[in-house]
């Protein structure tokens, strides 16, 4: 849109500390829900007359799931070159009451159960209809009971002699001032982690080549199919690097690659359980382990280590091996029991 209209886009977001896994903290979510339940005649029917306000708000909240506040803001600055924040909550506010934390966590757990079983199916359908109805009522009751608190934590601005809750006009004023600075060139672009990373193209688990070669030698001595395939192939010349791709900028986006920054240079176990090959390409099937009890999940549908390609065949063609196997056009050699190597998460 910017290229076609010669306009400049500026992202404007509510200010929030966020968490390690979401750009918005629970107290921000509570305020958003509280505000929605005070609306009348909303064009999108998301107001107090809607029976599933809580579910819809949780759906919006999960759009950012897995992204910390830092990565969320870094991505916006990286893409647009600026960022404007709307005042939302007082920095010196009291902690969120236990009853609010409890009802929000209950909703988050229910949302996870529902989406795991039903995907994007609405909350008034599926296996958890009764649970959703009970929770929606509990949410409204809890927010209502904590109305005084929720009003008190929203940012206060001294507009007159009396301090009052931030009105829409004040928020507009704050946003306008920030926009003016950007338009005049008085805005200093924040340093972001991704800017430091520069031209990172993909994230991967880097594996020790010597151990991968050792596994191939061992497999060759144990299985005649593997021996026949590997025989005569100059693996020492081809296998100079070994890795399991986690996310690629072209295939999965900048944000997906950046999300692995939390684990940069950390060790992760990788289980190798099969060798798949054709006359043009070969790869080891991989299963990633955990870091600090957090399962490392590749954005690739089939995590693998490409070990060899024929002349002129790009390594990315290894992604087609499972499909070729299902069509009877590839061979598989199981590694039983699986062999485990340790690698490190790196950016390339």
């Amino acid at each position: 849109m910017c290229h076609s209209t010669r306009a400049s886009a500026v992202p404007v977001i509510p200010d929030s500390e966020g968490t390690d896994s979401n750009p918005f903290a629970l107290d921000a979510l509570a305020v958003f829900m509280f505000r929605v339940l005070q609306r009348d005649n909303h064009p999108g029917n998301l107001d107090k007359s809607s029976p599933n306000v809580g579910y819809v708000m949780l759906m919006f909240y999960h759009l950012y799931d897995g992204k910390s506040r830092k990565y969320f803001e870094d991505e916006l600055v990286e893409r647009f070159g600026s960022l404007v924040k709307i005042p939302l909550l007082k920095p010196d506010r009291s902690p969120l009451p236990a009853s609010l934390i409890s009802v929000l966590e209950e909703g988050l757990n229910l949302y996870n159960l529902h989406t795991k079983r039903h995907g994007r199916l609405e909350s008034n359908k599926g296996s958890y209809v009764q649970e959703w109805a009970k929770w929606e009522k509990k949410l409204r009751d809890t927010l209502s009971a904590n109305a005084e608190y929720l009003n008190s934590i929203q940012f206060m601005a001294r507009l007159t002699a009396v301090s009052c809750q931030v009105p829409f006009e004040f928020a507009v004023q704050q946003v306008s001032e920030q926009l003016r600075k950007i338009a005049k060139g008085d805005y200093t672009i924040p340093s972001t982690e991704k800017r430091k990373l520069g031209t990172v193209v993909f994230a991967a688990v880097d594996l020790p080549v010597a151990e991968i070669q050792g596994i191939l030698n061992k497999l060759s001595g144990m299985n005649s199919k593997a021996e026949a395939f590997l025989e005569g192939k100059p693996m020492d010349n081809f296998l100079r690097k070994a890795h399991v791709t986690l996310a690629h900028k072209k295939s999965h986006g900048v944000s997906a690659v950046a999300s692995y920054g939390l684990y940069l240079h950390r060790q992760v176990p990788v289980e190798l359980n099969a060798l798949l090959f054709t006359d043009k390409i070969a790869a080891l099937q991989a299963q990633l382990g955990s870091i600090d009890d957090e399962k490392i999940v590749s954005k690739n549908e089939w995590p693998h280590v490409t070990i060899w390609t024929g002349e002129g065949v790009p390594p990315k063609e290894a992604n087609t091996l499972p499909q070729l196997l299902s069509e009877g056009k590839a061979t598989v050699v199981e590694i039983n029991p699986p062999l485990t190597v340790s690698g490190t998460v790196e950016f390339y």
Side-chain angles (χ1 to χ4, degrees), residues 244-272:
V244 179
T245 299
L246 297 172
H248 195 287
K249 187 164 67 173
K250 279 190 176 181
S251 304
H252 310 106
V254 174
S255 176
V257 175
S259 67
Y260 293 98
L262 181 66
Y263 308 109
L264 198 59
H265 310 316
R266 299 286 303 278
Q267 286 203 331
V268 58
V270 178
E271 191 178 87
L272 303 172

Side-chain angles (χ1 to χ4, degrees), residues 84-262:
V84 171
K85 299 180 184 180
I86 304 174
L88 180 66
L89 303 175
K90 293 167 61 176
D92 58 346
R93 62 188 178 277
S94 303
L96 205 61
S99 60
L100 280 173
I101 294 175
S102 176
V103 76
L104 292 175
E105 289 183 343
E106 187 179 328
L108 290 167
N109 290 334
L110 182 56
Y111 183 87
N112 288 331
L113 286 172
H114 177 89
T115 53
K116 196 170 185 179
R117 177 170 292 185
H118 301 298
R120 294 174 63 87
L121 188 70
E122 294 178 3
S123 60
N124 59 359
K125 300 173 185 175
S127 309
Y128 301 100
V129 173
Q130 293 183 355
E131 288 85 348
W132 277 118
K134 289 178 183 176
W135 179 77
E136 292 280 359
K137 183 180 184 306
K138 184 177 180 180
L139 174 68
R140 291 174 187 245
D141 292 343
T142 307
L143 290 171
S144 178
N146 288 278
E148 185 178 347
Y149 166 80
L150 290 168
N151 280 321
S152 73
I153 67 171
Q154 297 182 52
F155 194 89
M156 309 292 276
R158 189 168 292 279
L159 300 180
T160 62
V162 180
S163 185
C164 60
Q165 183 181 316
V166 58
F168 180 70
E169 291 78 11
F170 177 74
V172 170
Q173 179 189 345
Q174 292 293 300
V175 170
S176 297
E177 288 179 5
Q178 294 176 71
L179 287 172
R180 272 192 215 97
K181 285 186 177 181
I182 293 170
K184 289 180 179 178
D186 295 336
Y187 180 83
T188 303
I189 300 175
S191 172
T192 70
E193 189 63 30
K194 285 193 291 182
R195 284 184 181 275
K196 293 176 188 173
L197 294 172
T199 57
V200 169
V201 175
F202 67 97
V205 176
D206 188 45
L207 299 174
V209 172
E211 289 190 41
I212 299 299
Q213 289 177 331
I215 287 173
L216 293 175
N217 292 335
K218 186 175 182 180
L219 191 59
S220 180
M222 295 168 55
N223 185 281
S224 57
K225 289 182 181 178
E227 182 181 17
F229 172 74
L230 293 169
E231 189 176 10
K233 288 184 173 61
M235 298 304 293
D236 289 347
N237 293 335
F238 182 85
L239 196 59
R240 297 180 182 277
K241 293 182 179 179
H243 67 263
V244 179
T245 299
L246 297 172
H248 195 287
K249 187 164 67 173
K250 279 190 176 181
S251 304
H252 310 106
V254 174
S255 176
V257 175
S259 67
Y260 293 98
L262 181 66

Side-chain angles (χ1 to χ4, degrees), residues 265-316:
H265 310 316
R266 299 286 303 278
Q267 286 203 331
V268 58
V270 178
E271 191 178 87
L272 303 172
N273 52 36
L275 170 66
L276 278 71
F277 61 87
T278 68
D279 59 349
K280 295 180 179 179
I281 197 158
L284 291 166
Q285 182 168 276
Q287 184 169 332
L288 299 169
S290 301
I291 297 177
D292 297 336
D293 297 325
E294 287 288 331
K295 178 76 173 174
I296 304 302
V297 179
S298 171
K299 302 297 182 186
N300 266 353
E301 288 186 17
W302 185 59
H304 63 276
V305 184
T306 303
I307 61 165
W308 175 82
T309 63
E311 189 174 348
V313 179
K316 68 177 182 179

